[in-house]
Amino acid sequence: MQFPVLPDFEPGWVWLVGAGPGDPGLLTALALKALGEADAVVYDALVDERTLKLARPGALLEFAGKRGGKPSPKQPDISQRLVQLAREGKRVLRLKGGDPFVFGRGGEEALALVAAKVPFRVVPGVTAGIGGLAYAGIPATHRDVNEAVTFVTGHNVSGEVPDGIDWPALARGAPVLVFYMALKHLPQIRDRLIQGGRPAGEPAAVVSHAATERQRTLVTTLAALVEDAEAARMEPPAIVVVGPAVKMAAGLDWIGAMGGRTLDPDPLKLKARREAG
Ligand code: SAH
């Protein structure tokens, strides 16, 4: 296979890389190269185990996320650790779920590297709010359905529903709203959207563990979102999407059509399964 030449991963550099929502098949070529060459991989909780298995044998694997209710490492500590590893002359792969610059604090880490004069590269990844939805058969935009889409966090720095959002404007602003980190504050989000004028009967979906083997999709309405998500025990990480694009899931559930398998390495098996109905 002909492949464009990729940049060298130089010792002393940090690559700030998005790992996508789960499926290692969604890694970029740069992410795969970085995994194969890194001396140290500093990864977050959302990075799929299958992806970590692609790291070079012998690479130092360091977890820098929240686990089992224990307090997560402080952001400045993570940034300082990246600086330290780079100054030791290591090739440092900072691996984050989705895209590092989408609700991922990648900007904060990059600023710390700039301040410390550590050379770095940013490698975007497939963000859960687009790629995760695609794995549930929900296009973030579709002609004649929505001409705009808005990405929102359901969580601010202190863990509350963000106050900086003009909720009535958000409710009116785009036909499709994609929420990250929204499960905890789902009741408030539903109420603010309905108060802001979104129809209670509007389609809404929750996609949990998108693009992993544990992916589950709930399709419901804005009014029933909270009760249905609880009843279905939808767990984080999850994307919540509100708007007409959700209706597309019924016809575009390609994973369901493949027998519920997110990843099947053998296209012939897939074809056989489809033909067997
Ligand atoms: N940088 C990440 C987002 C990090 S914020 C990205 O670009 O995707 C964490 C939130 O991302 C989660 O609370 C959830 O809303 C979303 N998320 C990340 N991975 C996900 C997945 N596999 N399935 C569903 N939601 C996911």
Side-chain angles (χ1 to χ4, degrees), residues 16 22 24 35 54 72 80 83 91 95 97 105 134 140 167 173 176 201 212 215 217 242 252 268 272:
L16 191 53
L35 276 160
L54 298 170
S72 51
Q80 278 325 301
V83 169
R91 295 172 186 83
L95 197 57
R105 299 194 178 184
W167 286 89
V176 174
T212 75
Q215 173 172 326
T217 306
V242 176
L252 293 183
L268 287 177

Short mmCIF file of all heavy atoms in Angstrom, two decimals, residues 16 22 24 35 54 72 80 83 91 95 97 105 134 140 167 173 176 201 212 215 217 242 252 268 272:
data_model
loop_
_atom_site.label_atom_id
_atom_site.label_comp_id
_atom_site.label_asym_id
_atom_site.label_seq_id
_atom_site.Cartn_x
_atom_site.Cartn_y
_atom_site.Cartn_z
N LEU A 16 0.07 15.18 20.86
CA LEU A 16 -1.21 15.29 21.55
C LEU A 16 -2.26 14.74 20.60
O LEU A 16 -2.61 15.39 19.62
CB LEU A 16 -1.43 16.77 21.85
CG LEU A 16 -2.51 17.26 22.74
CD1 LEU A 16 -2.44 16.56 24.08
CD2 LEU A 16 -2.35 18.77 22.93
N GLY A 22 -13.60 4.96 20.20
CA GLY A 22 -13.47 3.59 20.73
C GLY A 22 -12.80 2.68 19.71
O GLY A 22 -11.63 2.33 19.85
N PRO A 24 -10.65 0.95 17.41
CA PRO A 24 -9.29 1.31 17.00
C PRO A 24 -9.19 1.56 15.50
O PRO A 24 -8.26 2.22 15.04
CB PRO A 24 -8.45 0.10 17.40
CG PRO A 24 -9.29 -0.69 18.33
CD PRO A 24 -10.72 -0.37 18.05
N LEU A 35 1.52 5.42 18.26
CA LEU A 35 1.42 4.27 19.16
C LEU A 35 2.58 3.30 18.94
O LEU A 35 3.12 2.72 19.89
CB LEU A 35 0.09 3.55 18.93
CG LEU A 35 -1.10 4.13 19.69
CD1 LEU A 35 -2.42 3.70 19.05
CD2 LEU A 35 -1.07 3.70 21.16
N LEU A 54 -2.12 -1.54 21.00
CA LEU A 54 -1.33 -1.25 19.81
C LEU A 54 -0.03 -0.51 20.14
O LEU A 54 0.79 -0.24 19.26
CB LEU A 54 -2.16 -0.40 18.82
CG LEU A 54 -3.43 -1.08 18.30
CD1 LEU A 54 -4.30 -0.09 17.54
CD2 LEU A 54 -3.05 -2.25 17.39
N SER A 72 -9.27 12.34 40.16
CA SER A 72 -8.42 12.27 38.97
C SER A 72 -7.20 13.16 39.19
O SER A 72 -7.24 14.10 39.96
CB SER A 72 -9.20 12.77 37.75
OG SER A 72 -9.78 14.01 38.03
N GLN A 80 2.52 18.87 33.65
CA GLN A 80 3.90 18.84 34.14
C GLN A 80 4.56 17.50 33.85
O GLN A 80 5.74 17.42 33.51
CB GLN A 80 3.98 19.15 35.64
CG GLN A 80 3.95 20.65 35.93
CD GLN A 80 4.69 21.48 34.86
OE1 GLN A 80 5.87 21.28 34.62
NE2 GLN A 80 3.97 22.38 34.19
N VAL A 83 5.70 17.42 30.32
CA VAL A 83 6.92 18.22 30.18
C VAL A 83 8.12 17.41 30.68
O VAL A 83 9.17 17.32 30.01
CB VAL A 83 6.78 19.54 30.96
CG1 VAL A 83 8.12 20.28 31.05
CG2 VAL A 83 5.71 20.43 30.31
N ARG A 91 9.86 10.10 23.51
CA ARG A 91 8.77 10.41 22.56
C ARG A 91 7.50 10.21 23.36
O ARG A 91 7.19 9.08 23.75
CB ARG A 91 8.77 9.43 21.38
CG ARG A 91 9.99 9.52 20.51
CD ARG A 91 9.97 8.37 19.48
NE ARG A 91 11.21 8.34 18.73
CZ ARG A 91 12.33 7.75 19.17
NH1 ARG A 91 12.35 7.10 20.31
NH2 ARG A 91 13.41 7.80 18.43
N LEU A 95 -2.48 10.56 24.78
CA LEU A 95 -3.59 9.97 24.04
C LEU A 95 -4.91 10.25 24.75
O LEU A 95 -5.09 9.91 25.91
CB LEU A 95 -3.35 8.46 23.94
CG LEU A 95 -4.12 7.70 22.88
CD1 LEU A 95 -3.89 8.26 21.49
CD2 LEU A 95 -3.75 6.22 22.92
N GLY A 97 -9.37 10.49 24.48
CA GLY A 97 -10.55 9.98 23.77
C GLY A 97 -11.07 11.01 22.78
O GLY A 97 -10.96 12.22 23.01
N ARG A 105 -9.73 19.25 26.98
CA ARG A 105 -8.64 19.93 27.68
C ARG A 105 -7.31 19.86 26.94
O ARG A 105 -6.25 20.11 27.53
CB ARG A 105 -8.44 19.37 29.09
CG ARG A 105 -9.67 19.55 29.93
CD ARG A 105 -9.31 19.32 31.35
NE ARG A 105 -10.47 19.53 32.20
CZ ARG A 105 -10.42 19.46 33.51
NH1 ARG A 105 -9.28 19.17 34.11
NH2 ARG A 105 -11.48 19.68 34.22
N ALA A 134 -22.37 8.52 14.27
CA ALA A 134 -22.36 7.78 13.00
C ALA A 134 -22.46 6.27 13.25
O ALA A 134 -23.08 5.54 12.49
CB ALA A 134 -21.09 8.09 12.21
N ALA A 140 -24.73 13.69 11.76
CA ALA A 140 -24.76 14.98 12.48
C ALA A 140 -25.44 16.06 11.64
O ALA A 140 -26.08 16.96 12.17
CB ALA A 140 -23.35 15.40 12.86
N TRP A 167 -29.53 29.42 27.26
CA TRP A 167 -30.34 28.24 26.95
C TRP A 167 -31.49 28.51 25.97
O TRP A 167 -31.68 27.73 25.03
CB TRP A 167 -30.83 27.56 28.24
CG TRP A 167 -29.71 26.84 28.92
CD1 TRP A 167 -28.84 27.35 29.84
CD2 TRP A 167 -29.28 25.49 28.67
NE1 TRP A 167 -27.91 26.40 30.19
CE2 TRP A 167 -28.16 25.25 29.50
CE3 TRP A 167 -29.73 24.47 27.83
CZ2 TRP A 167 -27.48 24.02 29.51
CZ3 TRP A 167 -29.07 23.25 27.85
CH2 TRP A 167 -27.96 23.03 28.68
N GLY A 173 -31.45 27.85 18.51
CA GLY A 173 -30.32 28.12 17.61
C GLY A 173 -30.04 27.11 16.53
O GLY A 173 -29.63 27.48 15.45
N VAL A 176 -30.29 20.59 15.43
CA VAL A 176 -29.68 19.41 16.05
C VAL A 176 -28.69 19.87 17.13
O VAL A 176 -27.78 20.66 16.86
CB VAL A 176 -28.98 18.51 15.00
CG1 VAL A 176 -28.24 17.36 15.69
CG2 VAL A 176 -30.02 17.95 14.03
N GLY A 201 -42.13 16.64 22.21
CA GLY A 201 -42.19 15.39 21.45
C GLY A 201 -41.05 15.23 20.46
O GLY A 201 -41.03 14.28 19.67
N THR A 212 -17.77 1.12 20.58
CA THR A 212 -17.09 0.08 21.35
C THR A 212 -17.99 -1.16 21.31
O THR A 212 -19.13 -1.10 20.81
CB THR A 212 -16.89 0.48 22.83
OG1 THR A 212 -18.15 0.35 23.50
CG2 THR A 212 -16.37 1.88 22.98
N GLN A 215 -21.56 -0.66 22.84
CA GLN A 215 -22.43 0.41 22.34
C GLN A 215 -23.90 0.08 22.52
O GLN A 215 -24.34 -1.03 22.21
CB GLN A 215 -22.15 0.66 20.85
CG GLN A 215 -23.14 1.65 20.24
CD GLN A 215 -22.79 2.07 18.83
OE1 GLN A 215 -21.62 2.17 18.49
NE2 GLN A 215 -23.79 2.30 18.01
N THR A 217 -27.85 2.17 21.98
CA THR A 217 -28.53 3.39 21.55
C THR A 217 -29.96 3.36 22.06
O THR A 217 -30.65 2.35 21.93
CB THR A 217 -28.56 3.48 20.00
OG1 THR A 217 -27.24 3.35 19.52
CG2 THR A 217 -29.15 4.81 19.54
N VAL A 242 -30.42 15.72 20.31
CA VAL A 242 -31.82 16.16 20.23
C VAL A 242 -32.02 16.76 18.85
O VAL A 242 -31.23 17.60 18.42
CB VAL A 242 -32.10 17.24 21.32
CG1 VAL A 242 -33.52 17.78 21.18
CG2 VAL A 242 -31.87 16.67 22.71
N LEU A 252 -30.82 3.84 9.31
CA LEU A 252 -29.37 3.82 9.08
C LEU A 252 -28.58 3.06 10.13
O LEU A 252 -27.38 3.25 10.27
CB LEU A 252 -28.83 5.27 9.01
CG LEU A 252 -29.30 6.12 7.84
CD1 LEU A 252 -28.62 7.48 7.87
CD2 LEU A 252 -28.97 5.42 6.52
N LEU A 268 -16.33 -10.92 4.51
CA LEU A 268 -17.09 -12.02 3.90
C LEU A 268 -18.09 -12.60 4.89
O LEU A 268 -19.23 -12.92 4.55
CB LEU A 268 -16.13 -13.12 3.43
CG LEU A 268 -15.32 -12.75 2.20
CD1 LEU A 268 -14.34 -13.87 1.86
CD2 LEU A 268 -16.24 -12.49 1.02
N ALA A 272 -22.10 -12.86 4.51
CA ALA A 272 -22.83 -14.11 4.69
C ALA A 272 -23.94 -13.92 5.72
O ALA A 272 -25.07 -14.40 5.53
CB ALA A 272 -21.87 -15.20 5.15
#
